[in-house]
Amino acid sequence: MSVMADGDRAFLDSIIEVADEVAGPHADSVDRDARFPAEALDALRAERALSATIPAELGGGGISFSAVARGCFELGRRCGSTAMVFAMHHIQVATIARHAAGSQWLESYLASVAADQRLVASVTTELGTGGDMGRSIAALQPGEDGVTASFEKQAPVISYGAQADDLFVTLRRSPDAEQNDQVIAVAQRGQFALEQTGTWDPLGMRGTCSPGFVVRAQIAPEQTLATPFPQIMAESMVPITHILWSHLWLGIATDAFDRARAFVRAAAKGSSDGAPPPVAIRLSHLLAELSLLRAEVASGLAEFVEASEEPSRERLLTMTSTLRFNNLKIAASEQAPRVCQGAMGVCGIMGFKNDSPYSVGRHLRDTMSASLMIANERIHQTNASLLLIAKDV
Ligand SMILES: Cc1cc2nc3c(=O)[nH]c(=O)nc-3n(C[C@H](O)[C@H](O)[C@H](O)COP(=O)(O)OP(=O)(O)OC[C@H]3O[C@@H](n4cnc5c(N)ncnc54)[C@H](O)[C@@H]3O)c2cc1C
């Protein structure tokens, strides 16, 4: 078992406190009203948790990636939407931090995220390409003055777009570039305007507040990541996204399991002979399902951390690695709702009702978004091609 550094431990303790005392108590109203989890985000800002993944020399927490992943798990246990906002923000920030070296603009940008606890949203999905991250239609248009560049992107889903300070946007490199010749730009509040194009009344993850927007922005040309896009995707964005998402889905599934266990324990207390009630067997089956999810999530994190510690991070650029982290997403996104549904099966009507201590409806609805967040079928399509040519899997 690894021993946690003091800074990581203190960070995690503060996240657990926010999860238990703020995110959890507001989770039902966030879900019911499809409203942004403002109280939890304020509390996370107060703990300076939005800069956890930024190196200490830039004013960030210098917290390990493992601890941040664990933070997503802890928040997921109490409020899936808060955990998803926290995870998505850190996907952007950690990706920028891993590719900022050599860019004075990106380094001072990260310092400003730390100083002001800025919240960063993701603008990757696009009308016309859907969840295909490897293609963009909107292009970065160089300005005639050479000091500004502009873009307009039709984004059908931007989580917490209205609340975000900054946007992390995938674009075509230039108006002449092919759709797969992409670049990542960072636009700061004041540099972009959002025109909301839809509403947000979904089945689950309601507190992420993710309607569509048209984004129009003017930025400086240096507000882009210089590392080639496919390298950023393989080395950082894909594995980080899949690891942080799978941790929060595990958190939601774990709370559903805990509620099922509390239900069975209460039933056992009420029995006259003290013997486990028949439904305890179902709980045991459910633990087996949860254990599979735990193992998949833990091994994905361990492999990423190990590969990231190698000086060149080359292992992350292999097809084997892409397959591995794609598979983590597919497996976790299918297993988490399975566990939540199993928990509902254990609790019966008490799990089905929204106003019972054993309610797992929100858990089930929130985890049902998992297989759509970059559709699993798209990922299978990528994997299918890679499987034909990859040396090892
Ligand atoms: C809660 C939530 C928050 C989100 N937040 C953001 C955000 O902040 N920023 C952002 O950019 N996006 C966000 N998204 C969007 C998300 O990541 C996906 O990109 C988006 O949901 C995909 O939309 P889609 O299902 O219409 O698109 P598509 O990926 O186009 O899929 C449409 C349908 O086609 C199927 N399909 C696609 N490809 C194949 C294939 N090769 N073979 C067979 N079937 C296929 C899919 O299974 C699906 O049924 C969010 C989504 C959710 C649910």
PDB file of all heavy atoms in Angstrom, residues 297-325:
ATOM      1  N   VAL A 297     -10.569   0.574 -12.088  1.00  0.00           N
ATOM      2  CA  VAL A 297     -10.252   1.990 -11.876  1.00  0.00           C
ATOM      3  C   VAL A 297      -8.867   2.125 -11.227  1.00  0.00           C
ATOM      4  O   VAL A 297      -8.045   2.943 -11.649  1.00  0.00           O
ATOM      5  CB  VAL A 297     -11.363   2.645 -11.015  1.00  0.00           C
ATOM      6  CG1 VAL A 297     -10.977   4.036 -10.567  1.00  0.00           C
ATOM      7  CG2 VAL A 297     -12.673   2.691 -11.805  1.00  0.00           C
ATOM      8  N   ALA A 298      -8.600   1.300 -10.238  1.00  0.00           N
ATOM      9  CA  ALA A 298      -7.309   1.396  -9.527  1.00  0.00           C
ATOM     10  C   ALA A 298      -6.154   1.035 -10.451  1.00  0.00           C
ATOM     11  O   ALA A 298      -5.105   1.707 -10.452  1.00  0.00           O
ATOM     12  CB  ALA A 298      -7.318   0.475  -8.306  1.00  0.00           C
ATOM     13  N   SER A 299      -6.315   0.009 -11.268  1.00  0.00           N
ATOM     14  CA  SER A 299      -5.191  -0.390 -12.116  1.00  0.00           C
ATOM     15  C   SER A 299      -4.957   0.640 -13.219  1.00  0.00           C
ATOM     16  O   SER A 299      -3.811   0.918 -13.591  1.00  0.00           O
ATOM     17  CB  SER A 299      -5.401  -1.793 -12.691  1.00  0.00           C
ATOM     18  OG  SER A 299      -6.497  -1.795 -13.569  1.00  0.00           O
ATOM     19  N   GLY A 300      -6.032   1.258 -13.724  1.00  0.00           N
ATOM     20  CA  GLY A 300      -5.861   2.303 -14.738  1.00  0.00           C
ATOM     21  C   GLY A 300      -5.051   3.460 -14.178  1.00  0.00           C
ATOM     22  O   GLY A 300      -4.124   3.963 -14.831  1.00  0.00           O
ATOM     23  N   LEU A 301      -5.392   3.884 -12.972  1.00  0.00           N
ATOM     24  CA  LEU A 301      -4.658   4.992 -12.350  1.00  0.00           C
ATOM     25  C   LEU A 301      -3.191   4.621 -12.138  1.00  0.00           C
ATOM     26  O   LEU A 301      -2.278   5.389 -12.473  1.00  0.00           O
ATOM     27  CB  LEU A 301      -5.316   5.359 -11.008  1.00  0.00           C
ATOM     28  CG  LEU A 301      -4.574   6.398 -10.177  1.00  0.00           C
ATOM     29  CD1 LEU A 301      -4.511   7.748 -10.901  1.00  0.00           C
ATOM     30  CD2 LEU A 301      -5.231   6.588  -8.802  1.00  0.00           C
ATOM     31  N   ALA A 302      -2.962   3.429 -11.593  1.00  0.00           N
ATOM     32  CA  ALA A 302      -1.579   3.015 -11.290  1.00  0.00           C
ATOM     33  C   ALA A 302      -0.729   2.984 -12.566  1.00  0.00           C
ATOM     34  O   ALA A 302       0.419   3.449 -12.581  1.00  0.00           O
ATOM     35  CB  ALA A 302      -1.587   1.645 -10.616  1.00  0.00           C
ATOM     36  N   GLU A 303      -1.297   2.479 -13.656  1.00  0.00           N
ATOM     37  CA  GLU A 303      -0.533   2.400 -14.906  1.00  0.00           C
ATOM     38  C   GLU A 303      -0.223   3.788 -15.453  1.00  0.00           C
ATOM     39  O   GLU A 303       0.872   4.044 -15.957  1.00  0.00           O
ATOM     40  CB  GLU A 303      -1.298   1.579 -15.952  1.00  0.00           C
ATOM     41  CG  GLU A 303      -1.242   0.096 -15.645  1.00  0.00           C
ATOM     42  CD  GLU A 303      -2.139  -0.721 -16.570  1.00  0.00           C
ATOM     43  OE1 GLU A 303      -2.188  -0.414 -17.772  1.00  0.00           O
ATOM     44  OE2 GLU A 303      -2.795  -1.643 -16.058  1.00  0.00           O
ATOM     45  N   PHE A 304      -1.191   4.703 -15.329  1.00  0.00           N
ATOM     46  CA  PHE A 304      -0.965   6.057 -15.839  1.00  0.00           C
ATOM     47  C   PHE A 304       0.119   6.758 -15.013  1.00  0.00           C
ATOM     48  O   PHE A 304       1.013   7.408 -15.565  1.00  0.00           O
ATOM     49  CB  PHE A 304      -2.268   6.859 -15.781  1.00  0.00           C
ATOM     50  CG  PHE A 304      -2.103   8.293 -16.203  1.00  0.00           C
ATOM     51  CD1 PHE A 304      -1.892   8.612 -17.543  1.00  0.00           C
ATOM     52  CD2 PHE A 304      -2.154   9.318 -15.275  1.00  0.00           C
ATOM     53  CE1 PHE A 304      -1.734   9.942 -17.943  1.00  0.00           C
ATOM     54  CE2 PHE A 304      -1.995  10.644 -15.674  1.00  0.00           C
ATOM     55  CZ  PHE A 304      -1.789  10.950 -17.004  1.00  0.00           C
ATOM     56  N   VAL A 305       0.045   6.628 -13.708  1.00  0.00           N
ATOM     57  CA  VAL A 305       1.026   7.292 -12.841  1.00  0.00           C
ATOM     58  C   VAL A 305       2.421   6.751 -13.146  1.00  0.00           C
ATOM     59  O   VAL A 305       3.384   7.507 -13.306  1.00  0.00           O
ATOM     60  CB  VAL A 305       0.646   7.102 -11.351  1.00  0.00           C
ATOM     61  CG1 VAL A 305       1.771   7.517 -10.428  1.00  0.00           C
ATOM     62  CG2 VAL A 305      -0.615   7.897 -11.039  1.00  0.00           C
ATOM     63  N   GLU A 306       2.538   5.447 -13.284  1.00  0.00           N
ATOM     64  CA  GLU A 306       3.839   4.833 -13.574  1.00  0.00           C
ATOM     65  C   GLU A 306       4.385   5.332 -14.920  1.00  0.00           C
ATOM     66  O   GLU A 306       5.528   5.763 -15.023  1.00  0.00           O
ATOM     67  CB  GLU A 306       3.667   3.313 -13.610  1.00  0.00           C
ATOM     68  CG  GLU A 306       4.972   2.554 -13.517  1.00  0.00           C
ATOM     69  CD  GLU A 306       4.699   1.060 -13.678  1.00  0.00           C
ATOM     70  OE1 GLU A 306       4.124   0.466 -12.753  1.00  0.00           O
ATOM     71  OE2 GLU A 306       5.050   0.517 -14.740  1.00  0.00           O
ATOM     72  N   ALA A 307       3.526   5.338 -15.934  1.00  0.00           N
ATOM     73  CA  ALA A 307       3.985   5.773 -17.268  1.00  0.00           C
ATOM     74  C   ALA A 307       4.312   7.261 -17.282  1.00  0.00           C
ATOM     75  O   ALA A 307       5.207   7.702 -18.004  1.00  0.00           O
ATOM     76  CB  ALA A 307       2.921   5.459 -18.317  1.00  0.00           C
ATOM     77  N   SER A 308       3.597   8.049 -16.476  1.00  0.00           N
ATOM     78  CA  SER A 308       3.849   9.495 -16.446  1.00  0.00           C
ATOM     79  C   SER A 308       5.155   9.819 -15.749  1.00  0.00           C
ATOM     80  O   SER A 308       5.721  10.884 -15.962  1.00  0.00           O
ATOM     81  CB  SER A 308       2.705  10.220 -15.719  1.00  0.00           C
ATOM     82  OG  SER A 308       1.542  10.119 -16.477  1.00  0.00           O
ATOM     83  N   GLU A 309       5.603   8.914 -14.884  1.00  0.00           N
ATOM     84  CA  GLU A 309       6.851   9.176 -14.156  1.00  0.00           C
ATOM     85  C   GLU A 309       8.076   8.904 -15.015  1.00  0.00           C
ATOM     86  O   GLU A 309       9.175   9.335 -14.693  1.00  0.00           O
ATOM     87  CB  GLU A 309       6.894   8.348 -12.865  1.00  0.00           C
ATOM     88  CG  GLU A 309       6.067   9.025 -11.768  1.00  0.00           C
ATOM     89  CD  GLU A 309       5.762   8.129 -10.590  1.00  0.00           C
ATOM     90  OE1 GLU A 309       6.217   6.959 -10.588  1.00  0.00           O
ATOM     91  OE2 GLU A 309       5.043   8.609  -9.691  1.00  0.00           O
ATOM     92  N   GLU A 310       7.893   8.177 -16.125  1.00  0.00           N
ATOM     93  CA  GLU A 310       9.029   7.940 -17.024  1.00  0.00           C
ATOM     94  C   GLU A 310       9.367   9.259 -17.707  1.00  0.00           C
ATOM     95  O   GLU A 310       8.472  10.010 -18.096  1.00  0.00           O
ATOM     96  CB  GLU A 310       8.650   6.885 -18.077  1.00  0.00           C
ATOM     97  CG  GLU A 310       8.487   5.507 -17.461  1.00  0.00           C
ATOM     98  CD  GLU A 310       7.839   4.500 -18.421  1.00  0.00           C
ATOM     99  OE1 GLU A 310       7.581   4.853 -19.587  1.00  0.00           O
ATOM    100  OE2 GLU A 310       7.591   3.373 -17.962  1.00  0.00           O
ATOM    101  N   PRO A 311      10.659   9.567 -17.883  1.00  0.00           N
ATOM    102  CA  PRO A 311      11.037  10.896 -18.364  1.00  0.00           C
ATOM    103  C   PRO A 311      10.371  11.279 -19.690  1.00  0.00           C
ATOM    104  O   PRO A 311       9.933  12.401 -19.868  1.00  0.00           O
ATOM    105  CB  PRO A 311      12.553  10.806 -18.525  1.00  0.00           C
ATOM    106  CG  PRO A 311      12.973   9.615 -17.741  1.00  0.00           C
ATOM    107  CD  PRO A 311      11.807   8.713 -17.589  1.00  0.00           C
ATOM    108  N   SER A 312      10.247  10.357 -20.631  1.00  0.00           N
ATOM    109  CA  SER A 312       9.711  10.743 -21.948  1.00  0.00           C
ATOM    110  C   SER A 312       8.199  10.544 -22.064  1.00  0.00           C
ATOM    111  O   SER A 312       7.584  11.010 -23.014  1.00  0.00           O
ATOM    112  CB  SER A 312      10.389   9.912 -23.024  1.00  0.00           C
ATOM    113  OG  SER A 312      10.054   8.560 -22.808  1.00  0.00           O
ATOM    114  N   ARG A 313       7.610   9.867 -21.115  1.00  0.00           N
ATOM    115  CA  ARG A 313       6.167   9.526 -21.135  1.00  0.00           C
ATOM    116  C   ARG A 313       5.782   8.818 -22.439  1.00  0.00           C
ATOM    117  O   ARG A 313       4.627   8.845 -22.869  1.00  0.00           O
ATOM    118  CB  ARG A 313       5.293  10.776 -20.946  1.00  0.00           C
ATOM    119  CG  ARG A 313       5.613  11.560 -19.699  1.00  0.00           C
ATOM    120  CD  ARG A 313       4.507  12.490 -19.257  1.00  0.00           C
ATOM    121  NE  ARG A 313       4.239  13.605 -20.105  1.00  0.00           N
ATOM    122  CZ  ARG A 313       4.088  14.870 -19.694  1.00  0.00           C
ATOM    123  NH1 ARG A 313       4.193  15.150 -18.405  1.00  0.00           N
ATOM    124  NH2 ARG A 313       3.808  15.826 -20.540  1.00  0.00           N
ATOM    125  N   GLU A 314       6.803   8.183 -23.070  1.00  0.00           N
ATOM    126  CA  GLU A 314       6.584   7.582 -24.389  1.00  0.00           C
ATOM    127  C   GLU A 314       5.556   6.461 -24.377  1.00  0.00           C
ATOM    128  O   GLU A 314       4.847   6.244 -25.348  1.00  0.00           O
ATOM    129  CB  GLU A 314       7.911   7.014 -24.913  1.00  0.00           C
ATOM    130  CG  GLU A 314       8.410   7.760 -26.116  1.00  0.00           C
ATOM    131  CD  GLU A 314       9.814   7.354 -26.474  1.00  0.00           C
ATOM    132  OE1 GLU A 314      10.155   6.171 -26.286  1.00  0.00           O
ATOM    133  OE2 GLU A 314      10.570   8.233 -26.928  1.00  0.00           O
ATOM    134  N   ARG A 315       5.526   5.753 -23.239  1.00  0.00           N
ATOM    135  CA  ARG A 315       4.614   4.607 -23.164  1.00  0.00           C
ATOM    136  C   ARG A 315       3.162   5.027 -23.413  1.00  0.00           C
ATOM    137  O   ARG A 315       2.351   4.268 -23.931  1.00  0.00           O
ATOM    138  CB  ARG A 315       4.741   3.965 -21.782  1.00  0.00           C
ATOM    139  CG  ARG A 315       4.470   2.490 -21.840  1.00  0.00           C
ATOM    140  CD  ARG A 315       4.237   1.810 -20.536  1.00  0.00           C
ATOM    141  NE  ARG A 315       5.068   2.173 -19.413  1.00  0.00           N
ATOM    142  CZ  ARG A 315       4.776   1.790 -18.174  1.00  0.00           C
ATOM    143  NH1 ARG A 315       3.705   1.065 -17.934  1.00  0.00           N
ATOM    144  NH2 ARG A 315       5.554   2.138 -17.163  1.00  0.00           N
ATOM    145  N   LEU A 316       2.868   6.281 -23.022  1.00  0.00           N
ATOM    146  CA  LEU A 316       1.488   6.756 -23.189  1.00  0.00           C
ATOM    147  C   LEU A 316       1.142   7.010 -24.653  1.00  0.00           C
ATOM    148  O   LEU A 316      -0.022   7.160 -25.002  1.00  0.00           O
ATOM    149  CB  LEU A 316       1.273   8.042 -22.364  1.00  0.00           C
ATOM    150  CG  LEU A 316       1.334   7.845 -20.848  1.00  0.00           C
ATOM    151  CD1 LEU A 316       1.393   9.184 -20.137  1.00  0.00           C
ATOM    152  CD2 LEU A 316       0.135   7.044 -20.361  1.00  0.00           C
ATOM    153  N   LEU A 317       2.175   7.061 -25.497  1.00  0.00           N
ATOM    154  CA  LEU A 317       1.927   7.334 -26.920  1.00  0.00           C
ATOM    155  C   LEU A 317       1.701   6.056 -27.730  1.00  0.00           C
ATOM    156  O   LEU A 317       1.479   6.120 -28.937  1.00  0.00           O
ATOM    157  CB  LEU A 317       3.102   8.124 -27.511  1.00  0.00           C
ATOM    158  CG  LEU A 317       3.384   9.471 -26.825  1.00  0.00           C
ATOM    159  CD1 LEU A 317       4.589  10.158 -27.437  1.00  0.00           C
ATOM    160  CD2 LEU A 317       2.163  10.380 -26.926  1.00  0.00           C
ATOM    161  N   THR A 318       1.779   4.912 -27.087  1.00  0.00           N
ATOM    162  CA  THR A 318       1.626   3.657 -27.823  1.00  0.00           C
ATOM    163  C   THR A 318       0.140   3.311 -28.020  1.00  0.00           C
ATOM    164  O   THR A 318      -0.725   3.774 -27.274  1.00  0.00           O
ATOM    165  CB  THR A 318       2.284   2.484 -27.066  1.00  0.00           C
ATOM    166  OG1 THR A 318       1.614   2.364 -25.804  1.00  0.00           O
ATOM    167  CG2 THR A 318       3.772   2.725 -26.835  1.00  0.00           C
ATOM    168  N   MET A 319      -0.104   2.472 -29.033  1.00  0.00           N
ATOM    169  CA  MET A 319      -1.486   2.024 -29.268  1.00  0.00           C
ATOM    170  C   MET A 319      -1.994   1.206 -28.080  1.00  0.00           C
ATOM    171  O   MET A 319      -3.173   1.251 -27.729  1.00  0.00           O
ATOM    172  CB  MET A 319      -1.548   1.166 -30.528  1.00  0.00           C
ATOM    173  CG  MET A 319      -1.375   1.964 -31.783  1.00  0.00           C
ATOM    174  SD  MET A 319      -1.532   0.863 -33.192  1.00  0.00           S
ATOM    175  CE  MET A 319      -0.237   1.494 -34.199  1.00  0.00           C
ATOM    176  N   THR A 320      -1.055   0.463 -27.491  1.00  0.00           N
ATOM    177  CA  THR A 320      -1.435  -0.355 -26.325  1.00  0.00           C
ATOM    178  C   THR A 320      -2.024   0.535 -25.233  1.00  0.00           C
ATOM    179  O   THR A 320      -3.033   0.197 -24.598  1.00  0.00           O
ATOM    180  CB  THR A 320      -0.191  -1.087 -25.771  1.00  0.00           C
ATOM    181  OG1 THR A 320       0.461  -1.718 -26.852  1.00  0.00           O
ATOM    182  CG2 THR A 320      -0.550  -2.084 -24.701  1.00  0.00           C
ATOM    183  N   SER A 321      -1.371   1.686 -25.042  1.00  0.00           N
ATOM    184  CA  SER A 321      -1.829   2.593 -23.994  1.00  0.00           C
ATOM    185  C   SER A 321      -3.199   3.185 -24.352  1.00  0.00           C
ATOM    186  O   SER A 321      -4.097   3.259 -23.499  1.00  0.00           O
ATOM    187  CB  SER A 321      -0.783   3.702 -23.814  1.00  0.00           C
ATOM    188  OG  SER A 321      -1.247   4.656 -22.922  1.00  0.00           O
ATOM    189  N   THR A 322      -3.365   3.586 -25.607  1.00  0.00           N
ATOM    190  CA  THR A 322      -4.666   4.139 -26.020  1.00  0.00           C
ATOM    191  C   THR A 322      -5.770   3.105 -25.795  1.00  0.00           C
ATOM    192  O   THR A 322      -6.839   3.415 -25.242  1.00  0.00           O
ATOM    193  CB  THR A 322      -4.619   4.553 -27.509  1.00  0.00           C
ATOM    194  OG1 THR A 322      -3.574   5.506 -27.663  1.00  0.00           O
ATOM    195  CG2 THR A 322      -5.927   5.156 -27.978  1.00  0.00           C
ATOM    196  N   LEU A 323      -5.490   1.867 -26.193  1.00  0.00           N
ATOM    197  CA  LEU A 323      -6.482   0.810 -25.991  1.00  0.00           C
ATOM    198  C   LEU A 323      -6.796   0.634 -24.506  1.00  0.00           C
ATOM    199  O   LEU A 323      -7.951   0.469 -24.109  1.00  0.00           O
ATOM    200  CB  LEU A 323      -5.960  -0.515 -26.561  1.00  0.00           C
ATOM    201  CG  LEU A 323      -6.066  -0.671 -28.079  1.00  0.00           C
ATOM    202  CD1 LEU A 323      -5.142  -1.791 -28.569  1.00  0.00           C
ATOM    203  CD2 LEU A 323      -7.509  -0.956 -28.494  1.00  0.00           C
ATOM    204  N   ARG A 324      -5.757   0.705 -23.706  1.00  0.00           N
ATOM    205  CA  ARG A 324      -5.910   0.466 -22.277  1.00  0.00           C
ATOM    206  C   ARG A 324      -6.838   1.520 -21.638  1.00  0.00           C
ATOM    207  O   ARG A 324      -7.761   1.204 -20.890  1.00  0.00           O
ATOM    208  CB  ARG A 324      -4.513   0.519 -21.619  1.00  0.00           C
ATOM    209  CG  ARG A 324      -4.426  -0.169 -20.296  1.00  0.00           C
ATOM    210  CD  ARG A 324      -4.775   0.743 -19.176  1.00  0.00           C
ATOM    211  NE  ARG A 324      -4.925   0.027 -17.931  1.00  0.00           N
ATOM    212  CZ  ARG A 324      -6.094  -0.371 -17.448  1.00  0.00           C
ATOM    213  NH1 ARG A 324      -7.199  -0.210 -18.135  1.00  0.00           N
ATOM    214  NH2 ARG A 324      -6.170  -0.960 -16.263  1.00  0.00           N
ATOM    215  N   PHE A 325      -6.569   2.814 -21.971  1.00  0.00           N
ATOM    216  CA  PHE A 325      -7.363   3.864 -21.318  1.00  0.00           C
ATOM    217  C   PHE A 325      -8.740   4.025 -21.968  1.00  0.00           C
ATOM    218  O   PHE A 325      -9.679   4.468 -21.311  1.00  0.00           O
ATOM    219  CB  PHE A 325      -6.567   5.172 -21.240  1.00  0.00           C
ATOM    220  CG  PHE A 325      -5.388   5.016 -20.326  1.00  0.00           C
ATOM    221  CD1 PHE A 325      -4.092   4.992 -20.812  1.00  0.00           C
ATOM    222  CD2 PHE A 325      -5.586   4.803 -18.971  1.00  0.00           C
ATOM    223  CE1 PHE A 325      -3.008   4.786 -19.965  1.00  0.00           C
ATOM    224  CE2 PHE A 325      -4.516   4.597 -18.107  1.00  0.00           C
ATOM    225  CZ  PHE A 325      -3.228   4.585 -18.610  1.00  0.00           C
TER     226      PHE A 325
END
